[in-house]
Amino acid sequence: MEPCEYGVFPVKDALEIVLIFGQSGEILYANTEAEKNLGYQGDLYGRRISEVFPGEFKESGGGILSDHPFGHEIRKLIAYRKNHTCFPVRARIMEAEGREGIYICMADVTLEEEYLSREVSQRKQEVEEALKVKSEFVANVTHELRTPVNGVLGHVRELSDKETDEAKQKILRVIERCCDDMNKIINNILDFSKLEAGKFVLEPRRFHVRDMLDYVRSNHINKITEKGLDFFMTVSPQVPEYIIGDELRIGQILNNLLSNALKFTSVGKITLEVFKTAQVGKKAELFFIVIDSGIGIDEGDKDKLFQSFSQVDASISRKYGGTGLGLNICKQLVELMGGRIGVESEKNKGSAFSFSIWADVDDPDVEEGKAEEPEAFSQRTLFDGTSFLDDEYDAGKHYGTEENREALSRNLSKLILCVEMENWEKAEMFMETIRQLSEGAPRDVGRVILRLKMAVQKENYEKTAAGVEELKTFLSSEGEQPAG
Ligand code: ADP
């Protein structure tokens, strides 16, 4: 093949590599840069496209086959030299004008890629160092914060033991609660930064599963009943007595889910259920579910929940508080324990948060290496989309039903009890529940509710008591003539 026909091309001395291939894939023209870069000395002509770009072009039946469409778009290819070494190129592949064949104009980007990869690894190192500095800073700050908070807490408890004045006791209780809340936030930030830096280490030990669950229950039961909610806990008989796991962290996940359930539920019940869903040798999969009949979560917001610092929306953080770290920490802890966490929820109906973990069973009766049948329950894990939310408490929310009347009168009794004890803060809580329970009530009931709400807000005992009586009378007269 004579090169002279194409040697007159102005691209002969171009800085880029220029190659022209005939329609059957043979090189018709190569400029000086092409010869130099591909390691040929005048013997490039007649070579095949599949020799220069073996991974990109093939020849079949006398034609060129390629996945690369022709055009001005820039593509990355790997070009092979005569000595079979290769280098990355940025190339344009076009149809050769006026001829059957293709025209490739390209530049060696080895140096550029090396520079980029150096840059990337340098940036990565910088980010890692910044993360390290950040987590050390967070660890120091949280430690420094914890010391004074615990100092205040200690003194408050000491004062509280000695104080006999009821009003001062009340103030001390508020300070104690604030310190506890602050400690929870500090611990969350510390856990989060350790998890983020990959420095979190689980501390597995042998523990009694039901004792741990009872302890978790005892942390919440008072607040749950104070709020007028029911609490149910079921532990399947197949759940082992003792397991080897991080008791503290399993408890932390459950505490977090139960605190959220309590925070976002004003009517109904909270349920905690525990099952064993699989067993392989000494290892068991335990499955925990916390179900509430609270405000629920929009379908579109579910993905946000497990991200760090994420709350469903600003109004929720204003109304209920929180840092949005809890569920992200839960997710990371669950994953460290080899499990998964998920949520099923329906707006205004309730939520069911569930997670699984794998742990060693510490039971001499469990034979090593023997796989047991999972509990029938595993057929209805949250991850398969089966619903856990029942309608029982939803019914209580519809004004006029028997359940609703019962829930209303229960909450009215609790409201008046709080008022008699001058606990207006708690009374407001019951008032909010009453307001929610009476949504959809006739206008005259609505007016009494409004008056009652204002009386509670103004801490007016007489008007509150009168409002409660008035509502109770309404309810009992409605009860006599069945609703609907
Ligand atoms: P925080 O520590 O602020 O409560 P979480 O990560 O625990 O943060 O929760 C994030 C958000 O998820 C909450 O602000 C709330 O919007 C939503 N959420 C969590 N649990 C529930 C629940 N049981 N019912 C309704 N919404 C919930």
Side-chain angles (χ1 to χ4, degrees):
M1 170 70 55
E2 280 299 314
C4 55
E5 194 185 341
Y6 300 97
V8 293
F9 263 58
V11 290
K12 180 173 177 286
D13 298 317
L15 291 175
E16 289 181 311
I17 302 166
V18 178
L19 291 164
I20 297 178
F21 298 90
Q23 58 179 321
S24 61
E26 76 285 11
I27 293 182
L28 300 180
Y29 173 76
N31 73 349
T32 316
E33 278 298 302
E35 291 265 344
K36 201 169 97 194
N37 280 275
L38 294 170
Y40 293 88
Q41 282 168 337
D43 50 346
L44 189 51
Y45 296 95
R47 298 275 174 166
R48 321 286 318 171
I49 193 165
S50 53
E51 284 178 76
V52 183
F53 302 105
E56 328 275 355
F57 297 92
K58 305 228 168 338
E59 292 152 41
S60 159
I64 303 171
L65 297 178
S66 165
D67 290 337
H68 296 284
F70 298 167
H72 281 268
E73 228 172 272
I74 293 176
R75 275 159 245 287
K76 266 179 83 176
L77 308 177
I78 299 291
Y80 278 73
R81 300 187 186 92
K82 187 181 179 183
N83 65 7
H84 304 296
T85 57
C86 61
F87 59 100
V89 293
R90 201 168 312 117
R92 274 204 180 98
I93 309 164
M94 289 166 288
E95 273 171 299
E97 243 171 71
R99 297 171 196 284
E100 302 274 331
I102 64 172
Y103 168 96
I104 296 183
C105 174
M106 64 193 196
D108 182 348
V109 289
T110 310
L111 288 179
E112 217 172 281
E113 296 227 323
E114 273 173 15
Y115 172 77
L116 269 178
S117 96
R118 259 202 314 276
E119 276 281 293
V120 168
S121 75
Q122 197 178 333
R123 291 276 168 275
K124 224 172 116 193
Q125 209 177 329
E126 279 168 14
V127 168
E128 272 166 17
E129 269 164 30
L131 262 179
K132 203 170 136 224
V133 172
K134 193 185 95 185
S135 48
E136 273 167 16
F137 171 78
V138 173
N140 287 341
V141 171
T142 41
H143 180 73
E144 290 302 315
L145 277 173
R146 199 186 268 176
T147 315
V149 173
N150 284 336
V152 175
L153 200 56
H155 287 301
V156 167
R157 284 187 181 142
E158 215 178 300
L159 275 179
S160 197
D161 287 343
K162 293 180 193 148
E163 189 55 68
T164 49
D165 184 286
E166 184 54 34
K168 287 185 186 156
Q169 274 273 5
K170 207 170 152 188
I171 295 171
L172 289 171
R173 274 200 299 276
V174 172
I175 301 176
E176 194 176 337
R177 215 174 47 224
C178 292
C179 288
D180 282 339
D181 287 349
M182 226 152 124
N183 261 337
K184 273 185 211 144
I185 296 172
I186 292 170
N187 290 340
N188 266 355
I189 297 175
L190 197 59
D191 284 349
F192 176 74
S193 73
K194 273 197 205 152
L195 284 161
E196 204 189 26
K199 283 191 186 155
F200 194 94
V201 185
L202 291 173
E203 290 176 21
R205 263 195 288 268
R206 176 180 190 265
F207 72 92
H208 193 263
V209 180
R210 285 167 182 80
D211 282 356
M212 180 273 294
L213 292 169
D214 281 340
Y215 181 67
V216 168
R217 178 184 180 277
S218 72
N219 287 335
H220 302 274
I221 195 68
N222 287 347
K223 285 189 191 154
I224 292 178
T225 40
E226 268 174 26
K227 217 173 165 183
L229 303 172
D230 292 328
F231 181 75
F232 301 99
M233 182 165 101
T234 26
V235 184
S236 134
Q238 285 198 31
V239 171
E241 289 288 299
Y242 287 94
I243 61 167
I244 297 167
D246 194 328
E247 179 179 10
L248 193 79
R249 300 305 178 174
I250 299 171
Q252 180 179 343
I253 302 167
L254 287 170
N255 280 328
N256 208 310
L257 298 184
L258 284 169
S259 297
N260 279 348
L262 178 64
K263 183 152 87 170
F264 297 108
T265 308
S266 52
V267 188
K269 65 171 178 178
I270 294 172
T271 309
L272 167 61
E273 294 182 28
V274 188
F275 300 86
K276 185 180 81 176
T277 42
Q279 170 119 22
V280 182
K282 284 267 180 193
K283 286 209 174 295
E285 184 189 49
L286 298 187
F287 193 85
F288 302 77
I289 324 167
V290 175
I291 310 168
D292 65 57
S293 55
I295 62 171
I297 300 151
D298 265 340
E299 190 56 41
D301 289 327
K302 282 187 200 162
D303 292 344
K304 288 193 223 159
L305 292 183
F306 298 100
Q307 292 164 16
S308 45
F309 310 111
S310 167
Q311 283 174 320
V312 165
D313 61 42
S315 66
I316 291 214
S317 54
R318 268 196 307 277
K319 185 166 173 193
Y320 298 97
T323 51
L325 280 181
L327 288 177
N328 177 267
I329 294 173
C330 288
K331 180 173 187 274
Q332 299 201 54
L333 289 177
V334 163
E335 284 169 3
L336 280 180
M337 295 184 207
R340 284 200 295 158
I341 190 164
V343 62
E344 187 206 324
S345 186
E346 236 180 282
K347 196 80 184 150
N348 300 321
K349 188 165 178 189
S351 309
F353 282 84
S354 71
F355 67 95
S356 56
I357 57 157
W358 279 92
D360 282 334
V361 180
D362 193 44
D363 182 347
D365 295 339
V366 176
E367 263 180 61
E368 200 144 346
K370 187 174 156 241
E372 263 185 34
E373 272 298 297
E375 280 192 60
F377 164 79
S378 61
Q379 303 305 314
R380 49 181 287 239
T381 60
L382 268 194
F383 308 120
D384 69 9
T386 321
S387 181
F388 282 97
L389 306 170
D390 60 30
D391 288 325
E392 186 193 337
Y393 278 83
D394 197 38
K397 289 179 183 172
H398 298 304
Y399 186 85
T401 61
E402 183 62 29
E403 293 92 334
N404 178 273
R405 255 194 305 282
E406 277 168 20
L408 266 172
S409 74
R410 230 184 8 248
N411 279 282
L412 282 168
S413 306
K414 282 178 179 154
L415 169 72
I416 199 71
L417 206 69
C418 295
V419 172
E420 277 160 8
M421 289 163 70
E422 290 191 43
N423 189 340
W424 290 98
E425 203 182 315
K426 213 173 272 172
E428 277 205 38
M429 215 172 70
F430 286 116
M431 185 61 234
E432 173 57 19
T433 308
I434 292 164
R435 193 200 57 72
Q436 287 184 17
L437 283 168
S438 54
E439 265 170 25
R443 210 179 288 165
D444 42 356
V445 178
R447 274 198 288 270
V448 182
I449 299 270
L450 198 66
R451 276 204 302 278
L452 180 61
K453 191 174 168 188
M454 279 161 69
V456 174
Q457 275 168 356
K458 288 185 181 157
E459 304 191 359
N460 184 324
Y461 175 80
E462 280 77 24
K463 286 194 175 162
T464 304
V468 167
E469 275 317 303
E470 206 175 338
L471 271 175
K472 282 197 160 175
T473 321
F474 255 120
L475 290 177
S476 55
S477 66
E478 278 186 1
E480 281 155 20
Q481 9 165 329

